[in-house]
Amino acid sequence: MTDADQAREDAVEAALGTLDLDTKARLLAGQDMWSLPALPEIGLGSLVMSDGPVGVRGVRWTAGDPSIALPSPTALAAAWDPALARRAGRLLAQEARRKGVHVLLAPTVNLHRSPLGGRHFECYSEDPFLTGAVGSGYVNGVQDGGVAATVKHFVGNDAETERFTVDNVIAPRVLRELYLAPFEAIVTGARPWGVMTAYNQVNGTTMTEHRHLVNEVLRGEWGFDGCNVSDWMAARSTTGAIEGGLDVAMPGPRTVYGPALAEAVRAGVVPGPAVDGAVRNVLRLAARVGILKGAPAAVGAVPDPVDGQALARELAARGFVLVRNEAAGCEAPARPVLPLDGAGRTVALIGAAARDARILGGGSATVFPGRVVSPLDGLTAALADLPGAALTYAVGADPSDEPAPAAQGFVLRAVCRDAAGAVLGEGSLPSGQVQWIGDDLPAGVTYATLASIEVTGTFLPRESGEHVFGTRGLGAFTLAVAGETLWEGVQDSGEEADPFEAFFGAPCERARTTLTEGEPVAVSLTCRVPDMTALPLKAIMFSLLHLGPRRDPDELIAEAVSAARAADTAVVVVATTERVESEGFDRTDLALPGRQDDLVRAVAAANPHTVVVVNAGSPVELPWREEVAAVLLTWFPGQEGGAALADVLLGHAEPGGRLPTTWPARFADAPVTRVVPAEGRLEYREGLGIGYRAYENAGTTPAYPFGHGLGYTDWAYESLEVTRTTARVRLTNTGARPGREVVQLYLAPVAAGPGDTRSTAVERPASWLAAFAGVEAGPGESVEAEIALPARAFEVWDERARAWRRIGGAYEVRASRAHGDTRLAATLDIT
């Protein structure tokens, strides 16, 4: 322990000793949606939290204070670069400090157990080692900036269906080797200051009350000394939570802690030392972030300022994964279609998502950036500087056929009124969605006086025709366009299983009206606010929805084909929608929505130089992948995604990503598709068989394997030397341009000889990722990667001994470009 650590501990103990029981209990309960109460009597400031992980939204659902929007976590993991993740974390700490936030509720390190998982985009990988490495880099970066990282959701929150109540039944070995492994790596390696326990149960015990996993494993075995906060509304029992190691119950003001906890202590149901332990953890967190008087902050000098836009652009390109890049046409010599030679070339850009990019996933990860660069924006700007280059655009196919929150062309604000119609206050809106939870209300507005909210403003149509308007949310509404009331009525709850989904309601079409391109109209949606006095958590959630004019799908595809045929290169952007991928629900298939598959096939038939850009946070089926020249996965690329796309397509940057998750050829090939519980239980029957491990064991060939990614240069793997602790790989860049390679090391047990039962004594996957490293080299340059082989790579969890056990024997160490793409191998004997 350093002198500064000791000073913080002394300050914590001094502050703890002055608090009475009621104050202690109050400190452990949120005072509102995002903060804990200040205690001026001990010099304690209010601890403020905010959602992440791609930005720092702050405590209000508003675009009034924009946030940097980085690429999705899966995109960050695709870079296979913990140092890059650390830079991202430092930027987010900078954003947090600017917004007065002390605790970032990120990263999410649950695994890609199934591609159907609704928050797949918010997690890193199907592999625990890669997840732990990238997550450690992210945590280090956030905490470099003096802001607490909160690793979530501990543990087993790998799907959304019935997530509040599901009992995930996971065998002890599987739990240790897969689902706990990234948490362990991050806790022991990066020392996070916070952990968030999940909604779900694991093996019969809800995670906010799980004494074994929290007190014995997280704190006892791994030495976690940070603060354990519940997921929002996850804490259910006062005694169960405090005895299960939960420090903070969020959100407030009504929680299972506060007065209920103090009363439980007085009644002899809860021991006082348990409360003291939780308070000590909260005070230690406050000391680390610098809001406890007399305690030195953990970080004295923050890192140098980061250019957020520049880093967001770099991160996007580094995470793009080029999975296919073939020579096309009859040019000589034959060369891959990417990168494009932009000068003197014409490009047909096609797809609704090329104009209206989906930059991030839905749900609690939502942030509101100050700007968004779409693919159309990015390519227009980039090609404008190239002589003879030209760009055309066609919609081709729209992935959505239902109204979505009003966005493009809308300028909106929310006007709050009392029962007499007097204006109480108003605030700007980033879209047609209102989501105010707790005290997140415009200045001057209170729930006690609020009677109605009017979403009002103007809409500038970019297309003439019949426009659809609708609502989402529960309650009584009045919808008006151009001064005319088009609908008035009540929306009731449906059959949504997730409470958040039920609260939002389903999107509903309400009216259609004909509008003219370029002619602005007034729009208004008034929601009558019910009495919320008795609700433990007050919230208002509803949306003004819009859908542009629908055109004949075949006609749209024909227009795209015509544009593609007239261009040198066709770039088709396909995408999912927020109704396909988002928090609150799981997917039921992996198909792209709408007629996008038909669009790609038609364009590819018209132009052999067709590049498909896949704007999706998780795997989708690509049935046309062998029919196109190139396929580039861009995930949810963040606010600078369009600029990064132009950089990569034109060769100014290399697509640096490698797949952090296996991409199935078809839904039927996915090894795990069970995400719906049966009678409240979800059994992880597949055991260790998720992701690439399952594909290899089953002998199934995916569309693209784990770790795959092409880049813009070639590499020759020349030598591999291994010891029990280290591997050295020498390789040469044999291409014509600089590049970065990710050297992946996999271990595969070698069949034992007669009488040698060391490596066959326990069932294991055929191979697994043990380590990796990124290297860079110019054309013709050689480089050597020295990669540590972690001891854990040779261990399994022994369920009888309840301990890790080293498995001796012969292992093949495979230096690979992707799982199954082995370039060099060496045998290593472990005793």
Side-chain angles (χ1 to χ4, degrees), residues 106-134:
T108 303
V109 299
N110 302 109
L111 296 186
H112 294 167
R113 173 179 175 261
S114 168
L116 297 179
R119 291 175 88 171
H120 192 290
F121 63 88
E122 197 179 321
C123 308
Y124 290 129
S125 173
E126 68 188 26
D127 182 78
F129 181 81
L130 177 59
T131 296
V134 175

Side-chain angles (χ1 to χ4, degrees), residues 413-417 423-427 436 450 452-456:
R413 67 187 190 280
V415 179
C416 302
R417 296 182 173 89
V423 175
L424 300 171
E426 62 179 72
W436 297 337
L450 181 60
S452 70
I453 302 169
E454 182 186 13
V455 174
T456 182

Side-chain angles (χ1 to χ4, degrees), residues 30 142 154 159 167 180 206 254-255 296 364 381 401 418 517 541 575 606 637 670 776 825:
V142 172
F154 187 73
D167 180 12
L180 285 173
T206 189
R254 297 189 196 176
T255 79
S364 61
D401 59 358
D418 64 16
E517 177 185 353
M541 301 181 187
E776 297 180 359

